[in-house]
Amino acid sequence: MEGPDALSDLLDFPLLEAVMGRRARRFGLGMEIPSGPLAFTSRAAPQPLSKLERSVLVAAGTGVTGWNFGVPFGPDRPDEHAHYTQRLTGRTMPTAGGFGTPVLLFTDDDGTYLTNTRDSQPSGVSELHGDGGETAERIMAVCRKHTTQLSHSRLDLPAAPPHMLEPNTWMANAPGSTLFMPVADASEQVLALMAMAIGNGNVLVDDSAGRPAGDLEPFISSGLLDDRKRVPLSVLQQMAYEANCSELAFMGHNIVLTLQAMGLGGLYFNGLNRWSVLGAFAEDGIEGLGFRFERDERWTMPNPVGLDGVYEALCPPYHADMGAAVRAFVARKFGSGGTYDPAGPGPWKDTAGVKRSVTPYDEEFVACLTEVAQHVYDTHGRFPGTFSTIVLPGYVQAVHLDTDYYDTYFQPGAYLRSHAEHWQRWHADPHP
């Protein structure tokens, strides 16, 4: 049945049943709990997700669903469309201010992949047209188009501390499972918030040092900044981190709700060492995802900054300095093909007119944003200064549920009808 019929059945699954029926169902086919009152050895071999099952979950996490509507108004430019939005691509999860930095990494028995739909160009305000199966196929096709295979092997991650918390060693990243790892770029998130703050005349203050974040007096004298309006850098960076974590958690929760509707097991959890996952221990032979790390004697842990040529942060070493990073940030908004390029598409009836209303940042604005960003980098040796550049707060694991385990130990109702009927609905072979 795998294909359009399975998708149609999925689309008919009630949202509230998925919400109310959501549980962490960890035990998949091929797994073993070695001892204790719930000791159990699966009688089946591990069964990886099919390509269709995996595609559905990727689309649930980061599928392009049309245009987002941007932040329409800002008091700093009352006669223009607001300049805050970084991307107009609408995806399945919300993103603060339309900044849209996250991508989705995942790994299974066939390899490790990255899906980056953040700059995909939708076909219209909504991709939800045609019948449900047609829409789902279209959204999945966009995800497949924007997926890069990073390796032909499962994520290299030892099932032992300090790489994995002890309660997860028996099941995390196990054979047959698919592990999803949503990540975000905090450098772009912080620059976007800084641009919003500066646009509204706020003086960014290095509150740890008790002074402005850089030489901002020229910008106060010119009137770009208002000395009576002050924003602590610690607060702005905390806001950025919280926004990143929220967006990534929404991606994960979308996947988890879809697990319920599909009848797959799995859970959202955070018991893996993010530095191990990203690749900080490569010199010890643990490759992880292969991210580049920067090191500094001032830091307790190395700082992940990106995957070379695939997903690179807006900071050194990918840019010579923060001035170059700021110019790249500005180009994403106002350059050729950028968010506010009038020649590009968008959600409005008069898209070109709305985009033309947004005045590009002038040289003084760019210089001010550069001054603050470089101050952070010079002070801390990284950007942002107070947390990692690449954010990875949690994971989702998907498995084919071993219902025998739940039937053996749990009262009736431990899993949903979708789990009971999964094999007959999603696979040609009705038994694992």
Side-chain angles (χ1 to χ4, degrees):
M1 187 176 175
E2 182 181 90
D5 291 338
L7 291 177
S8 296
D9 187 68
L10 171 64
L11 293 166
D12 287 338
F13 196 86
L15 172 62
L16 285 181
E17 187 171 347
V19 172
M20 302 301 181
R22 184 214 56 78
R23 292 291 183 275
R25 296 181 176 91
R26 294 169 170 81
F27 200 93
L29 296 175
M31 289 184 174
E32 178 184 15
I33 295 176
S35 60
L38 300 183
F40 194 87
T41 299
S42 176
R43 291 187 286 271
Q47 295 287 335
L49 301 191
S50 70
K51 290 182 179 179
L52 175 62
E53 290 169 329
R54 189 179 72 184
S55 291
V56 169
L57 296 174
V58 171
T62 189
V64 175
T65 53
W67 297 107
N68 73 56
F69 302 152
V71 179
F73 177 79
D76 55 321
R77 299 183 179 187
D79 297 324
E80 301 184 8
H81 185 279
H83 59 95
Y84 312 139
T85 302
Q86 187 72 0
R87 292 178 175 84
L88 290 168
T89 301
R91 293 189 285 172
T92 52
M93 84 295 186
T95 177
F99 302 158
T101 76
V103 299
L104 182 62
L105 291 126
F106 58 97
T107 189
D108 61 15
D109 294 347
D110 290 333
T112 301
Y113 308 81
L114 182 147
T115 301
N116 181 356
T117 57
R118 61 185 185 161
D119 296 312
S120 176
Q121 296 288 298
S123 62
V125 171
S126 174
E127 296 293 327
L128 308 179
H129 52 84
D131 65 58
E134 177 187 344
T135 292
E137 291 281 8
R138 185 167 55 251
I139 292 174
M140 287 189 292
V142 170
C143 289
R144 288 191 291 268
K145 178 181 178 182
H146 291 87
T147 295
T148 300
Q149 185 162 8
L150 303 178
S151 77
H152 292 279
S153 59
R154 179 179 284 279
L155 172 71
D156 177 25
L157 185 70
H163 311 290
M164 189 179 295
L165 287 181
E166 287 86 347
N168 298 318
T169 55
W170 67 274
M171 63 91 187
N173 198 36
S177 68
T178 300
L179 181 66
F180 296 93
M181 300 158 282
V183 303
D185 174 9
S187 66
E188 187 169 19
Q189 195 89 5
V190 170
L191 285 175
L193 279 175
M194 285 180 172
M196 186 183 294
I198 291 169
N200 284 279
N202 294 283
V203 176
L204 290 164
V205 178
D206 184 342
D207 43 322
S208 64
R211 59 185 175 86
D215 181 10
L216 302 183
E217 185 58 39
F219 308 107
I220 296 172
S221 298
S222 73
L224 176 65
L225 303 180
D226 183 345
D227 199 29
R228 298 167 298 178
K229 301 173 67 175
R230 295 185 164 232
V231 172
L233 271 178
S234 64
V235 173
L236 184 142
Q237 292 187 105
Q238 183 68 19
M239 288 172 59
Y241 182 69
E242 290 168 350
N244 276 154
C245 289
S246 297
E247 294 165 19
L248 298 174
F250 278 121
M251 292 175 76
H253 193 52
N254 284 350
I255 295 172
V256 167
L257 290 182
T258 307
L259 293 178
Q260 317 312 311
M262 295 174 69
L264 291 169
L267 74 162
Y268 184 95
F269 69 117
N270 62 355
L272 305 179
N273 184 330
R274 72 188 70 175
W275 285 273
S276 303
V277 170
L278 291 172
F281 297 95
E283 294 179 356
D284 299 329
I286 301 167
E287 295 182 5
L289 290 169
F291 273 68
R292 176 183 290 272
F293 282 79
E294 296 292 291
R295 290 167 169 80
D296 190 296
E297 62 184 11
R298 291 170 287 182
W299 313 334
T300 303
M301 298 295 291
N303 181 42
V305 292
L307 273 172
D308 294 353
V310 179
Y311 185 63
E312 300 177 348
L314 287 173
C315 62
Y318 297 116
H319 299 274
D321 52 29
M322 288 309 298
V326 166
R327 288 190 289 275
F329 167 80
V330 173
R332 289 181 182 179
K333 282 191 172 183
F334 300 109
S336 176
T339 302
Y340 296 110
D341 180 355
W348 305 284
K349 291 182 177 180
D350 182 14
T351 288
V354 172
K355 291 186 174 187
R356 276 195 296 268
S357 79
V358 185
T359 303
Y361 299 148
D362 61 21
E363 287 302 316
E364 183 186 27
F365 188 102
V366 172
C368 183
L369 181 55
T370 297
E371 179 68 20
V372 175
Q374 190 65 47
H375 170 85
V376 171
Y377 186 82
D378 291 343
T379 301
H380 299 278
R382 63 185 181 185
F383 188 88
T386 54
F387 61 96
S388 62
T389 302
I390 299 299
V391 179
L392 174 57
Y395 312 86
V396 174
Q397 179 156 291
V399 297
H400 280 115
L401 197 68
D402 191 329
T403 55
D404 287 347
Y405 167 75
Y406 293 91
D407 290 337
T408 300
Y409 287 119
F410 291 84
Q411 298 176 34
Y415 50 85
L416 304 178
R417 60 185 174 88
S418 55
H419 296 103
E421 299 170 356
H422 174 80
W423 283 93
Q424 69 189 62
R425 295 185 179 277
W426 284 85
H427 299 275
D429 183 350
H431 301 286

